[in-house]
Amino acid sequence: MKKQGILNSHISKVLADLGHTDTIVIADVGLPIPEGVRKIDLALTLGSPSFEETVNAIASDMEIEKVVVAEEMAADNPKALHYIERKFGGSGVERCPHEEFKRLARKAKAVIRTGEAKPYANVILQAGVYF
């Protein structure tokens, strides 16, 4: 039995299979999941698990070189944007229109759906290399 890191077997497998520049999405309950992209649904109830809790767990187990959020997050969910900028360094966070974000999500290896019920609580994480 695994005793540290991501215990969810589906997420653990996706992270282990990521190559350089592959992406995953951590999403709120409202983001449409693109056809053909694997959905890992963690949502239990509204707000659980939270966006921040899920991002923290994934970030501790994944080498991340790039982070993308929807530019609408700044106006409609500044708390989440502030968290992402603190977590990943403000200058390293890219922004794009929400419609472009949804197009980028089509290329993700997986979308991890949280129970977060706040607007634009979505992030694309691009895998880096640790060597």
Side-chain angles (χ1 to χ4, degrees):
M1 177 177 195
K2 191 173 178 187
K3 66 179 188 176
Q4 63 187 28
I6 299 290
L7 298 179
N8 181 291
S9 62
H10 303 290
I11 295 173
S12 189
K13 170 114 175 75
V14 166
L15 295 180
D17 288 344
L18 289 176
H20 186 217
T21 74
D22 285 341
T23 61
I24 63 167
V25 177
I26 299 175
D28 60 28
V29 296
L31 187 73
I33 310 301
E35 190 72 33
V37 176
R38 181 177 186 180
K39 176 175 84 171
I40 301 172
D41 197 343
L42 302 180
L44 296 172
T45 59
L46 286 180
S48 178
S50 73
F51 176 68
E52 287 186 22
E53 179 181 19
T54 306
V55 170
N56 285 338
I58 299 294
S60 70
D61 222 18
M62 178 183 174
E63 187 67 32
I64 299 166
E65 72 176 14
K66 182 175 163 184
V67 176
V68 180
V69 297
E71 59 190 24
E72 292 86 347
M73 186 187 265
D76 295 324
N77 196 345
K79 181 181 175 199
L81 180 60
H82 181 67
Y83 159 73
I84 290 292
E85 288 177 338
R86 256 190 357 260
K87 180 84 180 164
F88 297 105
S91 60
V93 177
E94 294 185 15
R95 299 181 193 186
C96 66
H98 188 59
E99 289 305 314
E100 176 64 16
F101 184 97
K102 291 190 286 188
R103 280 191 289 280
L104 292 171
R106 292 182 200 151
K107 298 176 183 174
K109 297 294 182 181
V111 174
I112 300 168
R113 183 174 175 253
T114 70
E116 191 66 63
K118 295 182 181 134
Y120 303 106
N122 307 297
V123 66
I124 296 172
L125 303 176
Q126 182 175 299
V129 292
Y130 54 85
F131 56 87

